Each structure stands twice: as structure tokens, then as C-alpha cells.
Amino acid sequence: MDILNLIGRTGELFALDIKENEEELTRKVKTSSFLVIGGAGSIGQAVVKEIFARNPVKLHVVDISENNMVELVRDIRSSLGYIDGDFRTFAVDAGSPEFYALVSAEGPYDYVLNLSALKHVRSEKDPYTLMRMVQVNILNTLKTRDLSAAGSGKKYFCVSTDKAANPVNMMGASKRIMEMFLLRTKSPLPVSTARFANVAFSDGSLLHGFNQRILKRQPIAAPKDVRRYFVTPRESGQLCLASTLLGSHGEIFFPKLDEGLNLITFAEIAERYLEARGFEAFPCESEEEARGRGEELIGQKKWPCYFFNSDTTGEKPFEEFYTPDEQIDLKRFFALGVVKSEEQGSIETLDAFLKDIETLRNQGTWSRNNLIDLFNRTIPNFNHLETGKFLDGRM
């Protein structure tokens, strides 16, 4: 299936930038060692393949998903083969004692790339998953950054999100706080990051869900009023690698997408997706109708769809990669934009955040409102969009 056609583009976004900087990228990879944390996720796998293809001295991959790690190795062996350097994978948790033992025994690493994250807006529906989001997206970032700095590395990269720009949900806000820590707190290790568009067909995404619905002969549901930018999995890997190897300390890379050409609704993609699979999208009036008419419609080469207006918590109707008060460089690259290093948030505010999180965890119980209030105190003008409804309440 042609992903570029589905997302409304005719060519790869970063092709010119990669070609222009290939010599530098290859030189740095071939002479360096890499640790990729969260390397078995969709973006992580794309990053690992970009590094592997340039023959690094050492490439170690860490992820808690044993099954995804197996598929990563099979994919690499079946497409790229082998390298001269040390390529190994480790099914351990980035915050565990096993992880620290691994880094101590197998390091140091020149470049550490942290792709681990709780990335779903739906993860804020309960206080327990929300606290884990704080742990993974913020606290583990600081721990792995400090561990990398202690190993005298050259660079630490951590993935962010477009939802960190003017966040309206807790996932985006957690990544914004992560950015604030990385930009404000002192570290001898240079740090860069990247804000993403949606990665087409990444694990757990709505487009990935389309594949699952087809396999299970189930109806497709998608919002018709939410417009998104999309990048391909390969482009996500290129964006991370470019930020890691070409970015200066504190810089945030993002894709320069054209609103007129690239913004597209999920409902529009669903229609294109079904057409590519030989079906006509058949809009239904309700979830019940879509579930009930599946076999009837599919036999007619029509696929039951429920397209709706979004009304769930934290769902932003459009994407943006930077805010008006951020300094932007749009001239350095063809298709990569850069948010320049700029300290935001005070040390006192960030210290208070850590102390308040520690207090809540030590109590052994906390509420969503406790965490929302804390985020409101930490991020200036945080506009949390609360509707009382969550994506798990939809088909």
C-alpha cells in the first residue's frame, strides 16, 4: 500500500536534507557507538534501521517489548543484513536495575537516543496510567540523560511531540515539561529533541487500527473534524537521526509541512485506505449500525464506517509544531524546521514539580485532579481540554 498517497503526498519529505548531509551523517555513525532506548516501537525501529544502515561501531537496543524486539531483528536481517560493528538487543526496562547494569557493563555510548514514551492521549483517563506517564516521559528522561552524561557521551536525544506546542492534553503537557527540564537544567551533555507529526501506521495509532479492523472484519471508526499532519515511519527515523547528529544543544527539530497540502482528516484517510483495499467506505449513522451491518456490506465490497465529530478529552482539532514566542529557524534545512534553544520555566518551578510528584507517590494515592493541578502550576497558560469523555469510550 502506498503510504505517501494515503497521506496526500507524492514524495519523501526529508530526501533533500538527508542527501545534503549524508556525508556527515555517515561519518558520525561509522565512528560512534549508540544506545537506543525504546528501540522496538515504531519510531524506535525506524531510528535503529537508519543507524544500522550506516554501519555504526556499536548499536545496542533496549526495549521492554520482547516480541517487537524479535521482529526488529528479523526485519533488519531480512532487509539490511549484517554490519561489522556490535549490534545487539536487550529486553530490559529502561528504569530497572538491569538497565543500569547493562549500561555499566556494555557502555559507554557516544549517543543515547531515548524513544520510550507513553504517547496516547487516552493514557490520561485514570490517575495510575497518568502517573506512569510522568515516570516514563519525564522522570526516566532525566535519569537516562544523567546516566548518559556520567558516561561522557557526545549527545542525548529524546523524542517529543507536536502536542507539546500549546498543549491541551496531559500527554503533550508531559512532553512540554520534559522539554523544559532538558532546556533549563544544567548538564555537561548536549541535548536535542524532535516534535513529530503523526507517524502513519505506527503501533497503536488509528491507522494501525484500520489494519486490525480489516483483519478482524470489523467496522472502521474515525473522527471527521480532526485534521493531522503525517510522516512515514522512515521519515520519523530520519527526523530523529538528523536532530541527534546535526542539532545543537537545546534545539527541537520538526517537519516543515505545508498546511494546504498535508493536513488531512482521519475520515479522509479511511476512505482512501479502503479504496486502496478495493472497498468503498459506507458511512453509518451510529456504532450500532456499523457493527450490525458488517457482513452484509462487506459482501458488497463496502466497508461499514462510523465517522463522528470528536468530543473526547485532550483532542486538539489541529496540529502545530511551535508557538509564537519561540525562536524558529526555517532556513537551515529544506524540510526540517528548528526551534532554537530557549530556557523556559524557572528552576524553582521545576524543583517544585519534582518534590510534588515525590510527595504524591510517597502518599501511595493520588487523583487525576492532583496531577492536572500540578501541570497547571508548572506550565504557563496550560489549556487542558477536559470533556469528561475518553477515547476508550469509543469504538
Side-chain angles (χ1 to χ4, degrees):
M1 183 173 295
D2 186 351
I3 294 180
L4 287 175
N5 182 60
L6 286 179
I7 62 180
R9 284 199 275 118
T10 57
E12 293 186 359
L13 191 62
F14 305 129
L16 289 177
D17 287 313
I18 296 301
K19 181 179 180 181
E20 183 78 11
N21 295 279
E22 186 58 62
E23 183 177 345
E24 180 178 359
L25 293 172
T26 299
R27 175 179 57 80
K28 287 183 174 180
V29 171
K30 290 182 69 173
T31 56
S32 301
S33 59
F34 294 81
L35 173 65
V36 181
I37 302 168
S42 299
I43 298 174
Q45 290 194 36
V47 173
V48 169
K49 292 177 75 172
E50 289 295 324
I51 297 171
F52 187 96
R54 292 171 174 84
N55 201 25
V57 173
K58 179 164 60 178
L59 174 56
H60 289 173
V61 185
V62 169
D63 201 288
I64 59 174
S65 175
E66 186 181 22
N67 290 338
N68 281 7
M69 195 82 82
V70 169
E71 176 55 30
L72 168 64
V73 174
R74 287 172 175 165
D75 184 13
I76 284 178
R77 295 303 187 211
S78 301
S79 59
L80 300 173
Y82 300 84
I83 57 173
D84 299 327
D86 174 16
F87 170 62
R88 282 183 285 165
T89 63
F90 304 89
V92 299
D93 189 341
S96 67
E98 295 82 7
F99 174 77
Y100 288 99
L102 164 67
V103 174
S104 176
E106 303 291 343
Y109 300 95
D110 296 313
Y111 296 94
V112 175
L113 293 83
N114 183 4
L115 287 305
S116 64
L118 262 70
K119 65 178 185 177
H120 285 283
V121 174
R122 69 179 67 219
S123 293
E124 71 166 271
K125 66 184 182 301
D126 66 83
Y128 320 107
T129 308
L130 190 49
M131 183 60 85
R132 182 167 179 261
M133 181 188 291
V134 171
Q135 177 67 48
V136 173
N137 292 2
I138 301 173
L139 303 184
N140 277 6
T141 297
L142 299 180
K143 290 179 181 178
T144 53
R145 187 276 309 268
D146 292 344
L147 184 64
S148 305
S152 302
K154 295 179 181 178
K155 186 72 169 295
Y156 178 86
F157 169 86
C158 188
V159 67
S160 186
T161 172
D162 60 284
K163 296 174 178 63
N166 290 321
V168 300
N169 54 62
M170 295 293 280
M171 191 281 285
S174 71
K175 284 295 189 177
R176 181 67 193 119
I177 293 173
M178 178 206 77
E179 292 178 355
M180 292 164 63
F181 270 107
L182 294 179
L183 292 175
R184 171 64 73 172
T185 54
K186 302 299 181 184
S187 171
L189 184 68
V191 173
S192 65
T193 184
R195 291 177 183 166
F196 270 83
N198 286 36
V199 181
F201 295 97
S202 61
D203 284 352
S205 68
L206 187 56
L207 272 62
H208 177 260
F210 291 172
N211 284 337
Q212 300 303 306
R213 304 288 72 74
I214 292 291
L215 287 173
K216 298 176 182 180
R217 296 176 69 86
Q218 295 171 342
I220 282 177
K224 59 185 178 182
D225 58 338
V226 174
R227 303 168 71 217
R228 291 288 183 262
Y229 292 115
F230 286 88
V231 295
T232 67
R234 184 184 184 191
E235 289 168 345
S236 74
Q238 293 171 336
L239 178 59
C240 292
L241 188 67
S243 177
T244 302
L245 300 183
L246 305 177
S248 299
H249 174 64
E251 292 186 333
I252 304 171
F253 279 40
F254 63 89
K256 290 195 297 188
L257 296 173
D258 181 88
E259 182 175 353
L261 294 176
N262 301 105
L263 271 175
I264 187 171
T265 69
F266 285 107
E268 289 172 316
I269 290 183
E271 291 172 345
R272 294 181 183 183
Y273 172 87
L274 289 169
E275 182 180 2
R277 286 189 168 272
F279 291 92
E280 176 187 350
F282 186 92
C284 297
E285 294 297 321
S286 66
E287 289 188 0
E288 291 76 13
E289 180 188 357
R291 282 191 294 266
R293 299 189 63 185
E295 291 305 316
E296 167 203 347
L297 292 170
I298 293 171
Q300 302 172 22
K301 302 298 290 183
K302 299 178 181 179
W303 205 274
C305 299
Y306 178 55
F307 299 140
F308 54 86
N309 290 320
S310 177
D311 61 355
T312 52
T313 293
E315 201 63 69
K316 205 170 184 178
F318 61 92
E319 285 178 331
E320 52 191 330
F321 297 104
Y322 53 88
T323 62
D325 59 344
E326 290 178 318
Q327 183 182 351
I328 308 300
D329 182 353
L330 297 176
K331 297 181 179 180
R332 195 191 317 177
F333 300 102
F334 294 106
L336 292 165
V338 180
V339 179
K340 303 293 290 182
S341 176
E342 182 178 336
E343 294 182 349
Q344 294 190 16
S346 67
I347 291 292
E348 293 76 18
T349 298
L350 297 176
D351 284 344
F353 176 87
L354 294 178
K355 290 178 181 178
D356 288 343
I357 287 293
E358 184 179 11
T359 297
L360 291 174
R361 292 166 72 95
N362 288 339
Q363 289 175 184
T365 183
W366 55 86
S367 67
R368 283 186 72 246
N369 285 337
N370 289 148
L371 292 169
I372 292 171
D373 290 344
L374 176 55
F375 276 44
N376 278 325
R377 295 196 300 272
T378 306
I379 304 176
N381 304 316
F382 176 35
N383 184 27
H384 183 251
L385 180 60
E386 178 70 60
T387 68
K389 299 180 180 180
F390 300 95
L391 286 169
D392 280 0
R394 284 201 176 277
M395 190 166 64

